[in-house]
Amino acid sequence: MKKALFLDRDGVVNVEKEYLYKIEDFEFIDGIFDLCQYYQQLGYMIFVVTNQSGIARKYYTERDFHLLTEWMVQEFEKRNITIDKVYHCPHHPQINKKCNCRKPEPGMILAAKEEFNLDLANSLMIGDKESDIQAALNAGIKHTYLFDETKKIINSKATKIVNKLDEIWT
């Protein structure tokens, strides 16, 4: 079984912007490439798990999401980092029926576990919202980090609250 690094996208991989789907609006978070290189060198597979309710709200399409995702993955590849797969939930509970993929539900993480034979107990999750942390805990991930650049979050079920990504691995 393989270990994995799970990353939320908006607010962890890139700067949080409402309903982001355009390449020109995408800004990588400081330290994301160093973090991924570190864990990749330790043998971790890397996955992005992201809620994308903008699709359900019709702010952008699945195609828009996939174009941005392909570009993002290529940016990681330029730095010799492999994003093994990006899982997304296009649903919103007030628009679609309830699903098991929208965080805090663990569906995306469990799908990765099945598809890649992952050891979730020895994997980790980095998110910027408590729903990311809860999804990880619901899936059996024990090592969780809540990334909060604003330094406003005081309480979390996460293993640790960090203000910079390098606090996770340095």
Side-chain angles (χ1 to χ4, degrees):
M1 294 180 85
K2 303 167 212 143
K3 298 180 287 189
L5 169 64
F6 288 93
L7 304 167
D8 176 47
R9 193 191 80 177
D10 301 319
V12 175
V13 172
N14 58 275
V15 174
E16 178 82 43
K17 295 181 182 176
E18 274 195 22
Y19 307 110
L20 175 66
Y21 70 95
K22 294 179 183 174
I23 292 169
E24 59 267 23
D25 295 334
F26 196 101
E27 291 177 68
F28 286 99
I29 294 273
D30 226 14
I32 190 62
F33 297 120
D34 292 336
L35 175 105
C36 290
Q37 286 170 338
Y38 175 80
Y39 281 101
Q40 184 173 273
Q41 288 170 354
L42 290 177
Y44 283 73
M45 296 183 79
I46 303 172
F47 299 94
V48 175
V49 289
T50 178
N51 288 345
Q52 292 295 316
S53 70
I55 296 169
R57 297 170 193 264
K58 301 196 183 312
Y59 294 152
Y60 53 92
T61 65
E62 285 273 354
R63 185 180 188 303
D64 293 329
F65 171 77
H66 288 294
L67 287 172
L68 179 63
T69 298
E70 287 172 26
W71 173 83
M72 178 191 76
V73 168
Q74 288 171 356
E75 291 300 305
F76 278 95
E77 287 172 353
K78 287 178 186 176
R79 293 157 177 88
N80 297 313
I81 299 165
T82 301
I83 301 296
D84 291 284
K85 188 162 181 177
V86 175
Y87 291 88
H88 77 289
C89 173
H91 310 115
H92 187 278
Q94 295 171 340
I95 298 169
N96 311 96
K97 62 181 169 73
K98 188 168 171 16
C99 64
N100 71 346
C101 55
R102 184 173 175 79
K103 295 176 287 180
E105 297 298 322
M108 291 185 280
I109 297 169
L110 295 176
K113 176 189 178 193
E114 290 303 310
E115 188 173 346
F116 293 92
N117 191 29
L118 301 176
D119 175 4
L120 295 182
N122 289 304
S123 294
L124 59 118
M125 171 73 180
I126 304 169
D128 69 322
K129 294 182 178 64
E130 197 64 25
S131 61
D132 301 320
I133 302 309
Q134 193 60 55
L137 295 172
N138 289 342
I141 295 175
K142 296 179 179 154
H143 309 289
T144 59
Y145 296 90
L146 187 67
F147 177 56
D148 173 33
E149 286 184 298
T150 66
K151 301 180 183 178
K152 291 180 181 176
I153 298 173
I154 299 167
N155 295 314
S156 173
K157 292 181 181 177
T159 306
K160 185 176 181 185
I161 299 171
V162 297
N163 307 122
K164 294 182 185 219
L165 291 177
D166 65 3
E167 291 176 41
I168 296 168
W169 61 276
T170 56

